[in-house]
Amino acid sequence: GINPLNPAPAREWFARQAEKIQNPKKMKPPTTTQYRAGMASTNDSGLMTLSICSDIPYQRECCDMGDMGGEMESYYEVLDHTPGGMDYTRLSNGAALLFNHDRNIQIGTVSNPKIVDGRTYVDAKISSAPDVASYAQRMKEGILKDTSIGYEIMDDGEQMGEIDGVPVFKFKFRVHEAS
């Protein structure tokens, strides 16, 4: 399988597969907001640097294949981190940083998105409000360390190849929030 902490083998595999693909196929992605995992680290400036998403393949289930002839049980989703692949308007304007994607628990904001080696990094400002203090403390302690995004798929996807016989599709996407 793919090791999300070591994306190099996946990128090498995709580079080899890209050479083989002559007629990429399209698919209809899920229409609901999706969630993906990332990483976090703290610094001395009061801001946190969060890795909120990457181009590492993520296995999804149950998708309407549209013109490919019916339903498919499984596919790998790759979020497009190439120029123009991600709409980061909300991130640039200070998107919400939520606890577990709960809109009722905003613990801060994220901004200043950067894409480095297929991974999106943002600066996070954590609120100093009393109702956020326990979340902020757990983040400082490294107890709350994983990150994720809520996002929307923006196109029908393009097939990049397969992993163990399971198709891999790359999608353009829009980030709504980080968690």
Side-chain angles (χ1 to χ4, degrees):
I2 300 295
N3 178 351
L5 299 178
N6 182 8
R11 288 199 183 96
E12 291 168 9
W13 180 88
F14 284 124
R16 288 191 307 272
Q17 294 302 312
E19 294 172 10
K20 297 178 185 176
I21 296 174
Q22 305 224 347
N23 296 311
K25 297 179 180 178
K26 302 285 183 180
M27 68 176 288
K28 290 199 177 278
T31 57
T32 58
T33 298
Q34 305 290 309
Y35 302 102
R36 299 267 306 243
M39 303 178 308
S41 65
T42 57
N43 61 34
D44 296 332
S45 70
L47 292 177
M48 294 184 72
T49 299
L50 305 178
S51 165
I52 57 172
C53 62
S54 73
D55 62 1
I56 301 299
Y58 186 85
Q59 193 163 10
R60 295 280 184 198
E61 301 293 327
C62 297
C63 178
D64 177 11
M65 291 300 291
D67 64 347
M68 290 180 66
E71 292 185 23
M72 177 175 59
E73 292 183 12
S74 184
Y75 69 98
Y76 283 95
E77 172 188 88
V78 172
L79 298 179
D80 188 350
H81 279 66
T82 62
M86 177 174 61
D87 177 349
Y88 47 82
T89 304
R90 288 184 182 175
L91 291 177
S92 296
N93 292 324
L97 177 60
L98 307 175
F99 176 71
N100 284 343
H101 304 285
D102 185 337
R103 292 181 199 164
N104 296 311
I105 308 176
Q106 183 172 355
I107 61 175
T109 60
V110 293
S111 60
N112 195 25
K114 297 176 206 70
I115 298 175
V116 179
D117 295 329
R119 190 176 287 278
T120 301
Y121 294 89
V122 293
D123 293 332
K125 178 174 175 53
I126 309 303
S127 173
S128 59
D131 63 330
V132 173
S134 68
Y135 302 107
Q137 180 61 35
R138 285 180 267 172
M139 292 169 81
K140 287 178 188 173
E141 295 170 346
I143 303 300
L144 289 178
K145 59 184 177 180
D146 296 325
T147 60
S148 179
I149 59 170
Y151 62 100
E152 175 184 2
I153 298 293
M154 301 303 298
D155 67 358
D156 289 338
E158 182 174 319
Q159 187 169 357
M160 302 171 63
E162 294 181 345
I163 297 176
D164 297 329
V166 177
V168 179
F169 290 89
K170 179 169 69 173
F171 296 97
K172 295 184 183 310
F173 68 108
R174 173 183 300 137
V175 177
H176 291 281
E177 48 88 3
S179 178

